[in-house]
Amino acid sequence: MRHLAKAGVFFALILLGIAGQFSRWSDVFLDGKVFFVDPDCYSRMTRVALLLDGGGPSIRFHEFENAPVGVAPHTTAPLDLLIAGGARTLGFFEKNAAQDQARDLAGALVSPVLGVLTLLMVACWAWRKPFGSAALFLVAASPILAHGFSVGRPDHQSLLLFLLTGALIAELEIWNRRKIIFGRGIVNGRSIITGRSPWGVVSAVCWGIALWVSLFEPLILLVSCLVVRAFLLGRNMIPRFGANSSPNPARFAWLAPVVFLGIVGFALLFDGFRGGLPSAEVREYFSSWSKNIGELQPVSWSLLAGWLGWFGVLLPVVLLYGWIKSRDPALLASAIVLLFLLVLTSATARWGYFSALFCALCLPSAMSALPRAWMAWIAFLVSLWPVASTWDRQLFPEGMALRQRTETRQENILLRETAGVLRKSGPGIVMAPWWICPPLAYWSGRPFVAGSSHQSLPGTVDTARFFLSSEAAEAEKILRKRQVTAVITDDPTRVVENSAELLGIKPPSESLAKTLSPKVHPEYLKPGFRNAFFTVYQVVGIAPE
């Protein structure tokens, strides 16, 4: 009966997590169509469309942003292949409207599917752990993790979270088995790291694929975990061979490193190296551009508490208390890594996903360190008040937040209508404000000067200069340089403010973005389609450079 009740709790928590991941359903499925929640998601889906049209198996160059130059992106193939495989699995194989619907649906559902798999992974790991349900509770309830696995968000972070869940669980198991490795009379202790125990191989597989997906967060996390391993295991971190070594550990000792290096090597062969020095425009304008990117903003401690709860924010202190009481170095290691992640999150919001994940995985050890179980549960549950408050604001927006959500939905529908006009008007490069370029590129199939990635900053900067130009000849020069055949305008105030912030200047009193209208426009711009938000101008009489 006890196990049945526990299973019921775990099942309810998994349903809670699924509900959170699908909380943005009404923002994604509108007017009988699929709309994604971030501009980068449309860039991902453009890659998937190219892949399904035979442009793969690895998309190493983007012609649809920073046109006509294009960019060599850091984006890699694993999530592309997952979404493309999902579209094929849905049974749409012919190049018609049904294939587009299958692709959109696969993109909308890929992150929730990965989220469900992550919840199941945590549930299986936490089943035999004291306070394991607390770990599953935080993974299910954290707003930042729900956003990472959100419906309509085909972003690589969902795949990273799935892979790093496995990697971090394996690391914690390795750290917590230190006493076995150094225990007397245990000949095969080192096999826990690199021998018969599965955790070494699980760690190698998860870290290897995660590094294929991205060389940023996984690499920093891997280095920090390897430092902790070295601290905990010392010389036993590296397998040794010789007369004193048992043949069984020696036989499997290098399996994990070989698996890891094999995955990394295959990734380099499949996708190529995605590094490279940033361009001059990226170096000059990245700082001002990043101010418009939510995941690159610093995080206040109150917002962090809304993601982790008060107990989560104070968890490093609780882990240190447990270490002082028990002298278990695994608790000290967990506290150091978690504190490191919290500091990174306070500087850049994109680390919030991984802080919430690792915080949840550390909860069983931290709560076990408290004197009484009931004290631990009360502290944990009461600390979730800011998490509940965050969910209340997200699910039931009021005032400005509600108006912005309604306006965004209307804008998405009208933007897709505008893209349909572009698709029918023929080929050619389009100039538009950067934040609407990825969805327009995906829906219209046309290349754009600007984009949402930092690699497309040269085109984004040229777009900002075009809209802020006060002289028709200056704007014409930019159109000629970029071989533009159409221009799309958005709300002038928004365009001017964002463009000026990107260029690091004060908004000018006079600019093309303010004066441009179907009635007042340069002779080389011919007004065409128009709706409540956007106007399309065809470029006439300008020969490209």
Side-chain angles (χ1 to χ4, degrees):
M1 184 63 70
R2 181 180 178 182
H3 288 299
L4 186 61
K6 186 175 181 180
V9 170
F10 272 51
F11 181 70
L13 291 176
I14 291 173
L15 290 181
L16 176 67
I18 294 173
Q21 294 160 13
F22 281 90
S23 61
R24 299 196 65 177
W25 179 279
S26 58
D27 294 326
V28 174
F29 295 95
L30 291 170
D31 197 32
K33 301 180 179 65
V34 174
F35 297 85
F36 303 108
V37 299
D38 294 324
D40 284 346
C41 298
Y42 289 98
S43 296
R44 171 71 66 178
M45 294 306 298
T46 302
R47 290 171 55 87
V48 174
L50 294 172
L51 188 64
L52 290 171
D53 287 339
S58 174
I59 308 298
R60 301 191 181 193
F61 193 78
H62 289 179
E63 295 181 349
F64 57 86
E65 57 180 327
N66 193 34
V69 180
V71 301
H74 294 164
T75 315
T76 54
L79 188 60
D80 299 342
L81 296 173
L82 275 179
I83 300 172
R88 294 299 192 197
T89 302
L90 291 174
F92 298 95
F93 296 96
E94 297 182 4
K95 296 179 180 180
N96 52 28
Q99 185 191 38
D100 295 341
Q101 295 169 6
R103 185 180 64 232
D104 286 350
L105 188 59
L109 297 180
V110 64
S111 289
V113 169
L114 290 168
V116 172
L117 293 176
T118 301
L119 288 167
L120 292 173
M121 189 191 311
V122 173
C124 292
W125 171 77
W127 179 260
R128 295 184 179 278
K129 298 282 182 181
F131 303 101
S133 55
L136 184 58
F137 197 156
L138 187 57
V139 173
S142 174
I144 188 66
L145 289 177
H147 179 66
F149 292 121
S150 174
V151 64
R153 193 172 183 271
D155 191 277
H156 74 283
Q157 281 161 340
S158 59
L159 182 55
L160 279 184
L161 285 169
F162 170 72
L163 293 168
L164 292 180
T165 298
L168 292 173
I169 284 176
E171 292 298 323
L172 288 173
E173 291 299 317
I174 291 171
W175 300 352
N176 288 325
R177 280 164 169 72
R178 175 184 181 274
K179 55 182 176 292
I180 300 177
I181 295 170
F182 292 104
R184 291 186 177 182
I186 300 179
V187 179
N188 298 339
R190 288 191 303 274
S191 67
I192 291 170
I193 305 301
T194 53
R196 288 182 171 181
S197 170
W199 292 117
V201 176
V202 169
S203 174
V205 170
C206 291
W207 284 120
I209 301 177
L211 288 175
W212 183 3
V213 176
S214 172
L215 278 175
F216 184 53
E217 296 99 341
L219 182 59
I220 294 174
L221 268 174
L222 175 59
V223 170
S224 65
C225 288
L226 289 179
V227 170
V228 169
R229 272 205 211 183
F231 166 71
L232 291 176
L233 306 178
R235 289 180 298 176
N236 289 280
M237 177 181 172
I238 302 174
R240 291 175 290 175
F241 303 94
N244 296 326
S245 298
S246 169
N248 287 334
R251 185 182 306 170
F252 300 100
W254 291 102
L255 180 59
V258 167
V259 168
F260 174 79
L261 293 176
I263 292 173
V264 172
F266 177 79
L268 289 174
L269 289 174
F270 190 92
D271 252 330
F273 180 70
R274 296 303 179 94
L277 296 175
S279 65
E281 289 90 347
V282 173
R283 293 194 300 271
E284 182 177 358
Y285 293 103
F286 181 85
S287 178
S288 56
W289 170 82
S290 65
K291 295 177 181 178
N292 287 309
I293 309 299
E295 289 188 350
L296 299 181
Q297 302 307 304
V299 174
S300 65
W301 290 104
S302 60
L303 179 56
L304 192 58
W307 293 345
L308 311 179
W310 295 316
F311 192 82
V313 173
L314 298 175
L315 201 61
V317 177
V318 181
L319 289 168
L320 287 174
Y321 167 78
W323 170 69
I324 293 172
K325 189 174 69 171
S326 66
R327 293 298 173 180
D328 181 356
L331 293 176
L332 177 60
S334 299
I336 292 172
V337 173
L338 181 56
L339 184 61
F340 176 60
L341 285 172
L342 292 178
V343 171
L344 290 175
T345 303
S346 67
T348 310
R350 65 187 300 169
W351 284 97
Y353 306 99
F354 311 103
S355 290
L357 175 62
F358 192 65
C359 175
L361 297 179
C362 289
L363 276 174
S365 297
M367 294 175 71
S368 297
L370 295 178
R372 296 286 185 273
W374 63 267
M375 293 174 57
W377 276 115
I378 290 177
F380 171 69
L381 294 174
V382 170
S383 77
L384 293 179
W385 181 267
V387 174
S389 179
T390 300
W391 274 115
D392 180 68
R393 291 193 299 272
Q394 290 184 8
L395 296 176
F396 308 103
E398 299 177 349
M400 181 61 71
L402 180 59
R403 289 193 294 272
Q404 288 178 346
R405 175 173 292 186
T406 303
E407 183 176 305
T408 299
R409 293 175 179 175
Q410 296 172 346
E411 181 181 15
N412 283 335
I413 293 173
L414 295 177
L415 193 63
R416 191 157 187 164
E417 179 187 30
T418 305
V421 172
L422 284 178
R423 179 181 287 274
K424 294 176 182 178
S425 63
I429 297 172
V430 184
M431 179 170 285
W434 69 267
W435 54 89
I436 63 174
C437 288
L440 285 172
Y442 176 60
W443 289 322
S444 70
R446 295 179 63 171
F448 281 71
V449 175
S452 61
S453 69
H454 66 275
Q455 289 125 317
S456 62
L457 263 175
T460 303
V461 168
D462 277 350
T463 300
R465 288 171 175 162
F466 170 81
F467 282 114
L468 293 186
S469 58
S470 57
E471 299 292 335
E474 179 185 358
E476 180 181 353
K477 182 179 179 181
I478 296 173
L479 294 179
R480 183 179 293 111
K481 169 189 171 183
R482 287 287 177 169
Q483 303 174 20
V484 175
T485 61
V487 174
I488 298 177
T489 60
D490 196 354
D491 173 60
T493 302
R494 187 182 181 189
V495 173
V496 170
E497 290 179 354
N498 287 346
S499 299
E501 185 176 14
L502 172 65
L503 299 179
I505 62 176
K506 292 182 178 180
S509 56
E510 296 294 331
S511 65
L512 183 63
K514 286 184 176 181
T515 59
L516 187 60
S517 70
K519 294 183 178 180
V520 180
H521 55 84
E523 60 182 7
Y524 52 76
L525 292 180
K526 179 182 178 181
F529 173 79
R530 185 185 185 190
N531 58 32
F533 281 74
F534 310 104
T535 303
V536 179
Y537 296 86
Q538 298 299 324
V539 178
V540 295
I542 296 181
E545 291 183 352

